[in-house]
Amino acid sequence: GLVIDGRTLEHVLHDSLQNIFLELTEKCRAVVCCQATPLQKSVLVKLVRSKLKAMTLAVGDGANDVSMIQVADTGVGISGQEGMQAVMASDFAISQFRHLRKLLLVHGHWCYTRLTNMVLYYFYKNVAYVNLLFWYQFFCGFSGTSMTDYWILILFNLLFTSVPPIIYGVLDKDVSAEILMELPQLYKMSQ
């Protein structure tokens, strides 16, 4: 790992040393920046996003972390002694840092599989309905007549676009939480 303090980080963030710093950080498993200003934190996250084209996750617990959380792809706020500013600016909120692992490995995996299944479902739903309308137009000689009343179309879309997301969101868990916590590599395999 690499530990860098705020004064050193200030020198590193200049244009001449950015590439060297990024090459060094790519070879490390973890990089910890301590005693950094809020501006340095946000600039560092921007630098990693733009130069390395990497997804970024920022975790913070106070008002000094808000800019970093907002710049990152995903922001996690920890509610605690420093107030609720980080939580209000974040995408996800947890009460303690130890819950971050479960948020990423369990809920992140479930959310990813639910979203991919729902995208496939919406493609299927729309293709099925448009295919039905297409073949109906052959039957009626492309006259443009409507196959169904508008209230049936509205009911169809309401029913088939609201109920499945609720069911998937509540019930769809392809792997149990215990297995996901024991085998963190399942998260990478699901991507």
Side-chain angles (χ1 to χ4, degrees):
L2 174 67
V3 178
I4 188 167
D5 68 339
R7 278 186 253 162
T8 309
L9 188 61
E10 184 177 329
H11 298 295
V12 167
L13 292 178
H14 290 294
D15 291 332
S16 60
L17 297 176
Q18 285 179 357
N19 292 332
I20 297 169
F21 176 69
L22 290 174
E23 286 177 25
L24 178 64
T25 56
E26 280 185 305
K27 294 178 177 153
C28 298
R29 291 189 69 183
V31 178
V32 177
C33 299
C34 56
Q35 297 178 348
T37 66
L39 180 63
Q40 289 173 337
K41 294 175 187 180
S42 64
V43 168
L44 183 61
V45 172
K46 280 182 194 174
L47 180 69
V48 170
R49 278 186 69 187
S50 63
K51 298 276 181 147
L52 297 181
K53 306 291 185 217
M55 294 281 292
T56 54
L57 169 76
V59 181
D61 65 346
N64 60 340
D65 299 319
V66 169
S67 60
M68 173 186 64
I69 288 172
Q70 289 176 338
V71 168
D73 293 309
T74 305
V76 177
I78 302 173
S79 60
Q81 297 174 347
E82 290 195 38
M84 296 294 287
Q85 290 91 347
V87 171
M88 298 299 286
S90 65
D91 300 311
F92 300 97
I94 54 177
S95 60
Q96 295 176 349
F97 188 77
R98 65 185 171 107
H99 298 306
L100 183 63
R101 183 171 183 202
K102 187 172 183 181
L103 175 70
L104 294 176
L105 297 179
V106 176
H107 297 287
H109 176 87
W110 285 345
C111 183
Y112 190 82
T113 56
R114 288 173 185 153
L115 286 174
T116 54
N117 286 336
M118 289 311 301
V119 167
L120 292 174
Y121 168 76
Y122 284 126
F123 276 121
Y124 171 74
K125 178 192 80 78
N126 289 324
V127 165
Y129 187 72
V130 169
N131 194 21
L132 182 66
L133 291 176
F134 177 74
W135 289 110
Y136 177 74
Q137 289 303 317
F138 275 113
F139 176 73
C140 69
F142 294 97
S143 66
T145 58
S146 179
M147 183 178 75
T148 58
D149 290 330
Y150 287 108
W151 65 271
I152 292 175
L153 180 61
I154 292 170
L155 184 64
F156 173 81
N157 277 324
L158 179 68
L159 181 68
F160 286 105
T161 56
S162 62
V163 174
I166 293 170
I167 292 171
Y168 266 117
V170 173
L171 301 176
D172 187 33
K173 296 174 183 170
D174 60 337
V175 182
S176 70
E178 293 80 20
I179 292 174
L180 288 171
M181 290 296 284
E182 290 174 12
L183 301 169
Q185 55 270 32
L186 287 177
Y187 181 80
K188 192 166 190 170
M189 288 173 56
S190 70
Q191 290 180 336

